[in-house]
């Protein structure tokens, strides 16, 4: 098999290692072999019906410094959505700066965007930016009388205000085109492991699961199971699906249950690019070929499971979603209880340049706190203006020295930035934790010790922990310990146990 590993060198230079060097590379990268996906499958694009117009529609958004808020806006203005009736036969999400450039993921991040048409979740996107491409001949109905709502969570990883466009590039077939009369309508069946939650995330703890993998919700408590199920309300044909995961995610699996029988319909693998592999946002998701057709019946249940790697980091904002495209009436397809569904995957895009910077390079702006003198004895550290006010690795002089804490005591952190706008975390990171931020650095290096996002917002809608402060339990082992902010990974701090 033509297995290769791709190594990103200094950001832009890339080298391909042939099979013979694979073992050496794996040792170098400390990546467990079992978790390496195969070569990414081919990128394909369905043929577009004659008369299709490709056009970008966009929504302008002011993003506050450091913002990570889950918000809703209606799309009504010209340019935000098509102005005539027709069919959406292709959908590609993106995020742009006002100058038209695509910001790097480690500066501004398309955490998620979900487009609802008449209250129905129709299109969704995360940083993987999978295109939603119905097979040729199928489309999503669009009318100007629909109410369109955009749910967006744009994460500004910097302390600078930004203005961005949330874009949807549509392949749009207007009703005036002759081909429009023969398009078969599809709708999205939103199959989400945390279905019904406005902010559908779950916690993947480092080291959890079996042999370094956690499948959610299968491997979790029974109280959470069941959210991942979606009732099929009409006979129809599934013609597509795509998985959505966060870093650490290996694959989603879509299942169908009828009575007491359950079959797997599709596994959507995460194909990571570059040296960081599955700790990054540099990923494309596998989708079925345009020949994939599954006949489903009213009363069937669709469900999703998401599998995460737990060997390298903890991720408390993990997702596993596998939206499916369903026709409005039966349109052929296999009976998945008699014939195994085709597992062949294709991609809707290759590696995206904005997802390339892994970080982890020397950063002259950050001290190695292990080499600094003792700071003051402290019980409390304030967080303000994107700085840990004592022991921040970017602060010069006395303020940069790690505060000293007695073994076995607690160190309290208090967020003193605007608590409804700027959330900060205190997340352990292996010392010295002073390299450059990127899509896979720093990594959360603890099982459960984490402040959560200190700040306030509607519960279950935002990621806010709904507290301003948190007390870090200080262990008994002497040494200098480092941490970072998950929301603003350029923020680093240290304390010393004596
Ligand atoms: Cu922060």
């Amino acid at each position: 098999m033509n297995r290769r590993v791709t190594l990103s060198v200094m950001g832009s230079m890339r080298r391909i290692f042939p099979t013979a060097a694979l073992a050496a590379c794996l040792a170098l990268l400390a990546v467990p072999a079992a978790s390496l996906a195969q070569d990414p499958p081919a990128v394909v694009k369905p043929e577009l019906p004659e008369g299709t117009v490709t056009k970008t529609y966009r929504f302008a958004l002011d993003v506050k410094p450091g913002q990570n808020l889950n918000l809703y806006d209606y799309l009504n203005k010209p340019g935000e959505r098509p102005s005539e009736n027709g069919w959406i036969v292709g959908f590609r999400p993106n995020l742009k700066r006002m100058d038209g450039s695509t910001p790097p993921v480690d500066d501004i991040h398309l955490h998620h965007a979900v487009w609802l048409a008449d209250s129905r979740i129709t299109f969704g996107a995360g940083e993987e930016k999978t295109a939603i491409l119905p097979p040729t001949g199928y489309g999503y109905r669009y009318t100007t009388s629909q109410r369109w709502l955009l749910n967006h969570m744009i994460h500004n990883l910097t302390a600078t205000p930004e203005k961005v466009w949330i874009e949807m590039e549509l392949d749009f077939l207007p009703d005036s085109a002759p081909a429009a009369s023969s398009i078969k309508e599809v709708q999205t069946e939103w199959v989400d492991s945390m279905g019904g939650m406005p902010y559908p995330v779950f916690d993947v703890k480092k080291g959890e699961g079996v042999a370094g993998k956690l499948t959610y919700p299968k491997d979790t408590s029974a109280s959470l199971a069941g959210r991942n199920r979606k009732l099929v309300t009409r006979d129809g044909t599934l013609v597509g699906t795509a998985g959505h995961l966060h870093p650490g995610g290996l694959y989603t699996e879509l299942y169908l249950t009828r009575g007491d029988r359950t079959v797997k319909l599709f596994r959507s693998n995460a194909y990571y690019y570059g040296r960081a592999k599955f700790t990054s946002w540099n990923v494309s998701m596998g989708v079925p070929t345009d020949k994939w057709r599954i006949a489903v019946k009213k009363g069937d249940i669709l469900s999703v499971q998401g599998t995460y790697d737990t060997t390298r980091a903890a991720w408390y904002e993990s997702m596993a979603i596998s939206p499916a495209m369903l026709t409005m009436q039966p349109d052929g397809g296999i009976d998945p209880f008699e014939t195994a569904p085709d597992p062949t995957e294709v991609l809707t895009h290759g590696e995206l340049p904005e997802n390339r910077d892994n970080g982890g390079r020397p950063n002259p702006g950050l001290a190695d706190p292990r080499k600094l003198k003792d700071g003051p004895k402290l019980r409390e550290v304030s967080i303000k203006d994107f700085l840990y006010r004592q022991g921040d690795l970017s602060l010069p002089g006395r303020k940069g020295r790690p505060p000293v804490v007695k073994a076995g005591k607690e160190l309290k952190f208090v967020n003193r930035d605007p608590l409804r706008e700027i959330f900060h975390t205190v997340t352990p990171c292996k010392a010295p934790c002073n390299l450059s931020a990127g899509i896979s650095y720093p990594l959360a290096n603890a099982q459960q010790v984490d402040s959560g996002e200190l700040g306030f917002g509607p519960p279950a809608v935002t990621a806010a922990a709904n507290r301003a402060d948190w007390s870090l339990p200080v262990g008994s082992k002497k040494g200098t310990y480092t941490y970072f902010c998950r929301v603003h990974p350029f923020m680093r701090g240290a304390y010393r146990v004596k």
Side-chain angles (χ1 to χ4, degrees):
M1 218 171 108
N2 180 27
R3 282 189 121 192
R4 293 177 310 191
V5 71
T6 308
L7 193 67
S8 185
V9 180
M10 298 305 285
S12 58
M13 284 283 291
R14 310 184 74 227
R15 290 176 199 162
I16 310 293
F17 288 76
T19 312
L22 183 61
C25 286
L26 290 179
L28 177 72
L29 302 171
V31 175
S35 299
L36 263 185
Q38 309 143 24
D39 274 350
V43 176
V44 298
K45 200 177 172 230
E47 221 169 280
L48 296 173
E50 208 177 318
T52 302
V53 180
T54 298
K55 191 178 165 187
T56 299
Y57 298 88
R58 52 194 199 175
F59 172 78
L61 180 71
D62 285 306
V63 188
K64 296 194 176 100
Q67 174 174 317
N68 188 29
L69 298 174
N70 194 19
L71 303 169
Y72 294 82
D73 281 286
Y74 281 104
L75 300 181
N76 291 320
K77 296 195 193 87
E80 291 182 346
R81 50 185 279 201
S83 56
E84 58 186 317
N85 296 349
W87 299 92
I88 295 170
V89 296
F91 175 99
R92 282 171 294 274
N94 213 339
L95 180 74
K96 296 269 179 74
R97 285 199 161 105
M98 288 290 132
D99 64 5
S101 66
T102 306
V105 173
D106 41 317
D107 280 357
I108 314 178
H109 181 116
L110 177 64
H111 199 298
H112 69 253
V114 174
W115 289 257
L116 297 96
D118 286 341
S119 308
R120 187 181 190 91
I121 299 180
T122 301
F123 303 116
E127 200 51 68
E128 77 280 6
K129 297 177 183 168
T130 306
I132 297 158
L133 307 173
T136 308
Y138 297 87
Y140 289 86
R141 185 66 188 145
Y142 175 85
T143 66
T144 54
S145 62
Q146 287 168 342
R147 272 164 81 83
W148 273 54
L149 182 66
L150 176 61
N151 163 222
H152 51 86
M153 188 158 174
I154 304 301
H155 178 178
N156 182 356
L157 286 75
T158 75
T160 319
E162 294 277 358
K163 202 171 165 77
V164 296
W165 298 110
I166 300 172
E167 291 191 349
M168 53 176 184
E169 184 186 76
L170 297 186
D171 299 323
F172 188 77
L173 185 66
D175 279 355
S176 54
S181 59
S182 59
I183 295 293
K184 295 172 187 167
E185 183 177 357
V186 291
Q187 283 186 343
T188 298
E189 296 297 323
W190 195 256
V191 189
D192 184 339
S193 59
M194 291 296 282
M197 302 293 285
Y199 187 51
V201 294
F202 54 87
D203 194 358
V204 174
K205 298 183 181 90
K206 193 174 172 185
E208 255 192 332
V210 180
K213 285 183 188 177
L214 177 87
T215 297
Y216 191 92
K218 184 168 74 72
D219 296 344
T220 58
S221 69
S223 64
L224 292 167
R227 286 198 173 276
N228 67 328
R229 293 154 68 89
K230 178 79 196 266
L231 180 69
V232 177
T233 56
R234 59 177 182 271
D235 292 358
T237 302
L238 295 176
V239 301
T241 185
H244 170 70
L245 295 162
H246 284 187
L250 299 173
Y251 49 83
T252 62
E253 290 173 313
L254 181 67
Y255 290 89
L256 187 74
T257 300
R258 184 175 298 160
D260 56 5
R261 291 181 301 167
T262 297
V263 285
K264 190 197 297 180
L265 299 182
F266 193 72
R267 177 191 279 199
S268 177
N269 279 298
Y271 292 92
Y272 290 93
Y273 305 96
R275 79 178 146 85
K277 286 291 169 190
F278 44 83
T279 53
S280 83
W281 286 103
N282 197 0
V283 65
S284 296
M285 298 301 298
V287 303
T289 71
D290 64 356
K291 302 280 187 298
W292 190 81
R293 300 281 186 283
I294 311 284
V296 297
K297 291 198 161 82
K298 184 178 173 179
D300 287 352
I301 290 173
L302 291 165
S303 63
V304 62
Q305 303 274 356
T307 297
Y308 274 74
D309 175 272
T310 61
T311 59
R312 299 193 71 194
W315 322 89
Y316 59 72
E317 285 181 74
S318 301
M319 293 194 181
I321 307 176
S322 188
M325 261 178 239
L326 179 64
T327 58
M328 301 304 281
Q329 54 272 312
D331 190 38
I334 60 156
D335 175 347
F337 296 98
E338 287 182 356
T339 311
D342 182 1
T344 308
E345 289 176 287
V346 294
L347 302 181
T348 68
H349 66 73
E351 186 179 14
L352 301 172
E354 63 267 30
N355 290 351
R356 273 187 190 151
D357 184 6
N358 288 302
R361 292 183 304 280
N363 185 345
L366 296 176
D368 180 343
R370 298 171 303 182
K371 295 176 181 160
L372 297 177
K373 287 184 183 153
D374 285 358
K377 288 196 180 97
L378 281 185
R379 309 276 292 271
E380 186 176 311
V381 172
S382 289
I383 312 173
K384 193 165 171 36
D385 298 327
F386 298 89
L387 290 166
Y388 301 105
R389 304 308 296 206
Q390 181 69 49
D392 194 290
L393 307 195
S394 72
L395 285 172
R398 290 173 178 275
K399 282 281 171 203
R401 293 179 186 168
V404 173
V405 197
K406 255 193 185 158
K409 299 284 184 197
E410 288 186 332
L411 182 59
K412 188 176 178 183
F413 289 87
V414 187
N415 181 6
R416 300 191 192 279
D417 273 324
L419 286 168
R420 294 193 172 271
E421 290 172 13
I422 303 174
F423 308 150
H424 297 297
T425 81
V426 177
T427 302
C429 161
K430 196 169 171 233
C433 198
N434 64 348
L435 302 176
S436 72
I439 53 169
S440 57
Y441 188 89
L443 279 183
N445 182 44
Q447 288 194 336
Q448 296 181 44
V449 183
D450 191 304
S451 63
E453 299 193 11
L454 299 177
F456 291 87
V461 176
T462 66
N466 283 304
R467 57 175 181 262
D469 57 70
W470 178 72
S471 291
L472 173 96
V474 170
S476 55
K477 222 174 139 193
K478 289 173 189 171
T480 303
Y481 293 88
T482 43
Y483 57 88
F484 72 109
C485 173
R486 283 208 201 219
V487 189
H488 316 104
F490 68 90
M491 294 174 59
R492 314 290 170 81
Y495 62 94
R496 186 165 291 158
V497 177
K498 285 211 159 174

